[in-house]
Amino acid sequence: MHRTARSALVAAGLVAALAAGPLAAVPAFAASVPPASTAPTAPRASAAEGPDAEALAAALSGLPDHDATAALLRVGGDGTWRGTAGVRDVSTGAPALENARFRAGSVTKVVTASIVLQLAAEGRVDLDGTVQHYLPGLLTRDFAPVTVRQLLNYTSGLRPGASLGDTVEDGYAHRFETLTPREVVAAAVAQGPAYPPGTRQTYGNIHYTVLGMLIEKVTGDSYAHQARVRVFRPLGMRHSSFPAGADPRVHGPHNRGYDWIDGRLVDVTDWNMTDRFAAGDLISTTADLERLLVGVFRGRVVPEPQLREMFTLPDVPGARYGAALERFEVDGKVIWGKTGSRPGYATVIAATPDLSRTLVYSVNSTDAKGDGLGVAQRFAFPAFNR
């Protein structure tokens, strides 16, 4: 695989922006930790067709280690492979749960884009309509008209919004505080536009925070409920949800998330995610995200012609994103997908356009701000390198 392809995939966000939980001394990872469960499921493709099963099994071996405490992998398409490794809780050494729930981070944006594009298909939202029209007063007169499409493909020119910490250490102290979407956007607006809309592409949460507000304004309903009735229920995503208000917990079975802070391994599972909203608040499972991935690509969530927006790059220099989804090339294969990261959890969904190969994984990465190349090499590349 070319180094540039690897770097692009890593840069997309394969590592988490992590933090939370009481400080704890680094545990001794006991030799008695259960080994990875990597048995492939039927139907089993031939070695030539399927993923690199040997490399995938090797990726899971040895967990937990310094870089990750658990990992859940699902590979589908021409050859199906499942793997689970690591521990649910480093203090007890209990084995990782295969069907664990986790914070999916920016994979949330795929759900948000799907809702907006559904509303466009219904004639309730015009993709060329403006934020100024749908959310009057949100932007000041300093802003040129910003279209819904420009929010979807990250070309709006909005600057990043308010944050409770740019680093793990900064955010940890504020993990139970609330920052509302409106406060996030107000801080972005106060800085003025970064560039004229539609002239550059800058990935960021702010675009999808505004889209979440737009969804609520147009539907007169909560974003979370719209996601449930428009995406989760139709696709059978029974274990996907959003936190209720400022609830910092991951409800249901889950593997704890950890991060290194000041040389100590910290439990970062419990965290108030109100500031991420429609840009990164989703809690899900690998099985549910596989349903989302396949449902979107097969047109079960967003109809044509609106679905094309997800796979269309804007005409700006260096564009890599359509509506939510990012385009990659790995060993000559075109892949579309989305990465996500939150305290203790790094997530990827990705597939070839024809669904001949799909990948969903959640890794309990302990590296919040590293480049993540090691994580990507271990858990993403083997799924697509054949």
Side-chain angles (χ1 to χ4, degrees):
M1 186 183 305
H2 297 299
R3 173 75 180 187
T4 53
R6 290 179 175 175
S7 299
L9 191 56
V10 170
L14 296 183
V15 292
L18 310 167
L23 287 173
V26 179
F29 293 134
S32 61
V33 170
S37 170
T38 57
T41 60
R44 177 63 174 152
S46 70
E49 295 174 328
D52 189 339
E54 183 177 347
L56 287 168
L60 294 178
S61 65
L63 291 182
D65 59 22
H66 184 275
D67 299 322
T69 58
L72 315 174
L73 278 72
R74 297 177 69 91
V75 181
D78 296 336
T80 303
W81 195 94
R82 305 284 184 267
T84 302
V87 295
R88 178 179 184 178
D89 185 323
V90 297
S91 65
T92 66
L97 301 171
E98 178 182 1
N99 299 316
R101 300 178 189 184
F102 52 83
R103 301 191 191 278
S106 287
V107 174
T108 308
K109 293 179 176 68
V110 178
V111 176
T112 303
S114 296
I115 298 170
V116 172
L117 292 172
Q118 283 185 19
L119 292 170
E122 295 165 8
R124 301 175 67 182
V125 168
D126 181 353
L127 298 184
D128 293 316
T130 66
V131 174
Q132 287 87 340
H133 170 73
Y134 290 108
L135 296 166
L138 185 68
L139 304 183
T140 65
R141 293 182 180 179
D142 295 329
F143 289 82
V146 175
T147 69
V148 176
R149 180 178 282 107
Q150 289 163 348
L151 291 172
L152 285 167
N153 62 26
Y154 312 102
T155 62
S156 71
L158 293 174
R159 296 182 187 274
S163 169
L164 291 174
D166 294 330
T167 67
V168 175
E169 292 80 4
D170 291 344
Y172 181 80
H174 304 283
R175 65 194 183 280
F176 298 130
E177 297 178 17
T178 294
L179 189 61
T180 68
R182 190 162 290 277
E183 290 171 329
V184 170
V185 175
V189 172
Q191 301 173 66
Y195 49 83
T199 61
R200 290 167 51 188
Q201 186 174 70
T202 305
Y203 177 84
N205 290 325
I206 189 64
H207 316 276
Y208 279 72
T209 301
V210 175
L211 285 172
M213 297 171 69
L214 183 149
I215 289 168
E216 294 192 334
K217 181 65 178 294
V218 169
T219 64
D221 191 13
S222 71
Y223 167 79
H225 186 253
Q226 285 293 300
R228 188 157 60 248
V229 299
R230 289 178 173 273
V231 181
F232 299 163
R233 286 181 186 170
L235 292 180
M237 297 171 63
R238 295 179 295 170
H239 304 297
S240 297
S241 63
F242 293 93
D247 189 346
R249 295 166 295 176
V250 177
H251 291 274
H254 60 279
N255 301 320
R256 306 295 294 181
Y258 301 87
D259 191 67
W260 293 102
I261 299 178
D262 297 329
R264 296 167 69 89
L265 196 65
V266 178
D267 187 323
V268 297
T269 310
D270 296 337
W271 202 284
N272 177 356
M273 298 289 171
T274 50
D275 61 321
R276 289 302 182 250
F277 185 44
D281 211 5
L282 176 64
I283 293 172
S284 192
T285 66
T286 54
D288 272 10
L289 292 186
E290 188 175 68
R291 293 184 181 97
L292 175 65
L293 180 67
V294 173
V296 167
F297 277 53
R298 286 185 174 166
R300 295 174 180 168
V301 183
V302 178
E304 289 286 2
Q306 288 76 22
L307 180 59
R308 296 175 204 164
E309 298 287 337
M310 287 191 164
F311 303 94
T312 301
L313 302 181
D315 187 16
V316 298
R320 303 199 321 263
Y321 295 90
L325 296 177
E326 183 174 8
R327 185 184 186 276
F328 307 108
E329 286 193 26
V330 178
D331 280 353
K333 298 184 182 75
V334 173
I335 300 165
W336 288 86
K338 189 71 194 74
T339 62
S341 59
R342 286 281 75 215
Y345 304 93
T347 304
V348 165
I349 65 171
T352 53
D354 62 358
L355 293 174
S356 60
R357 184 66 47 79
T358 67
L359 167 68
V360 176
Y361 76 61
S362 172
V363 176
N364 292 82
S365 171
T366 61
D367 180 11
K369 295 296 183 182
D371 67 10
L373 181 57
V375 173
Q377 287 174 323
R378 282 176 69 172
F379 302 112
F381 303 131
F384 291 105
N385 69 357
R386 284 187 179 178

